[in-house]
Amino acid sequence: MNYHSIIGLGNPGERYQKTRHNVGFLTLDLLQKRFDLVWKKPFCRNYKIARSKISDTSILYIQPLTYMNNSGQVLPHLIKRYQLAPEHICIICDNMDLTPGTIRIKQGGGTAGHNGLKSLIGFLGSNAFIRVYIGIGRPSQSQSVVDHVLGVPDAEEMSLLENAIEKAADAVMKLAENLPEKVMNEYNRKGNSG
């Protein structure tokens, strides 16, 4: 079975629902509405999972129920259960180096200080997974990084983020059927890279 997995990063709980750090979860929410996905929480596991199929590819949608900094904890069981290869794992997360409303797709690379990515690489032992970054911009000089990522955007910024979430949802589905280079060329060239 050829599995392609889409993992959205964020923090569980209502308190964090609309924060900048949760754009990965918000993208999963959009995909859930688009494809009428049914979330299931496996017994004694710290994630929710849903499935769909495109052509011959089975797609797993995964939402960690750990906090962001421990996102990688969900990987060992998933890799064992579904024989997931790092290059077939697509992570959706926020990126402060991109302006709000932009997206960028990258395979491999570092963490740029993102604790969720650090956790994933630590548990996976590889950085070869695909990342779909959603720009959230940098904090103002008077604001800490933590306050920025855990802050709720105003209506104008939220509109930009919602547009980026739509693009990210489109991109992750194209990644399930196409070579990463093709999708990267399409999205990173469109002026989406900020």
Side-chain angles (χ1 to χ4, degrees):
M1 179 78 68
N2 182 19
Y3 283 110
H4 179 83
S5 59
I6 298 166
I7 304 176
L9 300 190
N11 286 307
E14 209 170 308
R15 175 185 170 193
Y16 301 104
Q17 200 171 1
K18 299 286 187 186
T19 62
R20 294 179 183 91
H21 225 16
N22 269 40
V23 290
F25 279 11
L26 293 172
T27 307
L28 288 179
D29 288 345
L30 179 58
L31 290 167
Q32 191 268 328
K33 286 174 190 161
R34 281 189 187 178
F35 298 105
D36 202 22
L37 302 175
V38 178
W39 288 110
K40 293 181 179 175
K41 184 190 174 297
F43 183 65
C44 283
R45 298 296 170 191
N46 53 0
Y47 60 84
K48 290 194 305 185
I49 190 166
R51 299 182 195 208
S52 73
K53 197 162 186 177
I54 296 182
S55 304
D56 292 328
T57 304
S58 289
I59 302 175
L60 304 175
Y61 306 82
I62 298 151
Q63 180 177 331
L65 297 175
T66 63
Y67 285 97
M68 176 71 85
N69 296 359
N70 299 315
S71 299
Q73 289 178 2
V74 306
L75 287 175
H77 177 257
L78 287 164
I79 289 166
K80 188 176 175 185
R81 171 79 175 80
Y82 298 104
Q83 282 90 50
L84 298 180
E87 57 273 17
H88 292 152
I89 296 173
C90 177
I91 305 296
I92 313 164
C93 65
D94 57 297
N95 186 310
M96 291 195 303
D97 293 326
L98 300 175
T99 55
T102 59
I103 76 165
R104 186 171 167 224
I105 302 166
K106 187 176 180 186
Q107 184 154 23
T111 66
H114 194 290
N115 289 327
L117 293 178
K118 281 182 191 172
S119 177
L120 290 164
I121 290 171
F123 277 90
L124 192 58
S126 170
N127 68 349
F129 52 84
I130 301 164
R131 307 103 188 277
V132 176
Y133 290 121
I134 298 176
I136 60 167
R138 291 222 158 254
S140 62
Q141 285 185 325
S142 61
Q143 192 178 36
S144 72
V145 167
V146 171
D147 286 344
H148 178 67
V149 298
L150 296 182
V152 176
D154 62 23
E156 184 181 352
E157 185 185 341
M158 186 53 100
S159 177
L160 293 172
L161 290 180
E162 284 170 355
N163 183 45
I165 286 164
E166 290 268 358
K167 287 188 284 191
D170 293 341
V172 294
M173 298 316 294
K174 287 183 180 178
L175 284 163
E177 289 193 285
N178 297 280
L179 290 171
E181 293 76 16
K182 181 181 177 186
V183 185
M184 282 189 256
N185 286 340
E186 180 184 348
Y187 281 86
N188 295 350
R189 194 183 60 224
K190 276 183 176 176
N192 287 328
S193 57

